Amino acid sequence: MELKVYRFSSNTQSTLGVLHINQKFECYTLEDQHQEKKIRGETRIPAGTYEIKIRDIGGFHARYKNRFSFHKGMLQVMDVPNFEYILIHVGNNEDDTAGCLLVGNTCNNNKLEAGKLGGSTDAYKAMYPKVLEALQAGEKVTIQYTDLDSK
């Protein structure tokens, strides 16, 4: 399974994108801003292709296990240089991410203000089972981040 994030708009606080799963639009995304030098919890990960695996330990996993009956573990983006514990999860603005990828059904125009997502929980409920099913079937799941924004 291939997930692709196309980052299309960024400002000094956030980055908006779209997520495609196997070449089909799935939802919008929000991440921290681009920065030449990484600042912990304030910088998006570098463009590139990474594998996704299930992380079934940690605070997010415990909270999501209680919150979502279908939850089996967090979707973790693996082997990102100089980053750890990059997850795909629910959130509405850049305060809800520390380098992770947030998903949502709607987004604002972050050229006018900091990026925001709406319908994040519904977007997560729609995309998570698709990715989980592929992982449980033993498929390799990758996510490719492509920068279309001017940074």
Side-chain angles (χ1 to χ4, degrees):
M1 174 178 273
E2 293 180 327
L3 283 71
K4 293 188 177 185
V5 174
Y6 298 99
R7 295 166 167 159
F8 66 82
S9 181
S10 61
N11 63 29
T12 59
Q13 297 177 323
S14 61
T15 300
L16 291 172
V18 293
L19 174 66
H20 289 202
I21 298 179
N22 292 335
Q23 291 91 39
K24 293 183 181 175
F25 172 79
E26 183 68 26
C27 61
Y28 294 98
T29 64
L30 188 140
E31 303 170 79
D32 282 316
Q33 68 274 19
H34 169 79
Q35 299 190 97
E36 290 299 324
K37 185 174 178 181
K38 179 187 174 195
I39 298 173
R40 182 178 165 89
E42 293 293 327
T43 306
R44 72 186 194 195
I45 69 172
T49 302
Y50 309 97
E51 192 167 355
I52 293 179
K53 298 216 174 174
I54 291 290
R55 178 178 169 80
D56 60 1
I57 59 173
F60 263 100
H61 169 64
R63 287 191 301 277
Y64 278 48
K65 189 174 179 182
N66 289 331
R67 184 174 178 185
F68 301 111
S69 61
F70 55 81
H71 181 79
K72 302 294 181 204
M74 299 305 298
L75 302 176
Q76 182 176 352
V77 181
M78 305 300 296
D79 302 320
V80 180
N82 301 314
F83 288 79
E84 19 176 41
Y85 311 120
I86 301 301
L87 306 174
I88 300 173
H89 62 85
V90 172
N92 299 110
N93 60 53
E94 59 96 16
D95 291 333
D96 297 329
T97 181
C100 295
L101 184 71
L102 307 179
V103 295
N105 284 334
T106 64
C107 70
N108 70 329
N109 180 344
N110 76 342
K111 294 295 182 190
L112 304 175
E113 61 184 344
K116 293 179 185 160
L117 295 177
S120 185
T121 299
D122 288 338
Y124 186 80
K125 285 179 178 179
M127 66 79 61
Y128 178 90
K130 294 173 188 174
V131 179
L132 178 65
E133 181 180 348
L135 289 167
Q136 288 179 325
E139 281 186 54
K140 182 176 182 177
V141 177
T142 60
I143 186 167
Q144 179 182 38
Y145 291 78
T146 301
D147 295 340
L148 302 178
D149 59 338
S150 60
K151 299 181 205 167

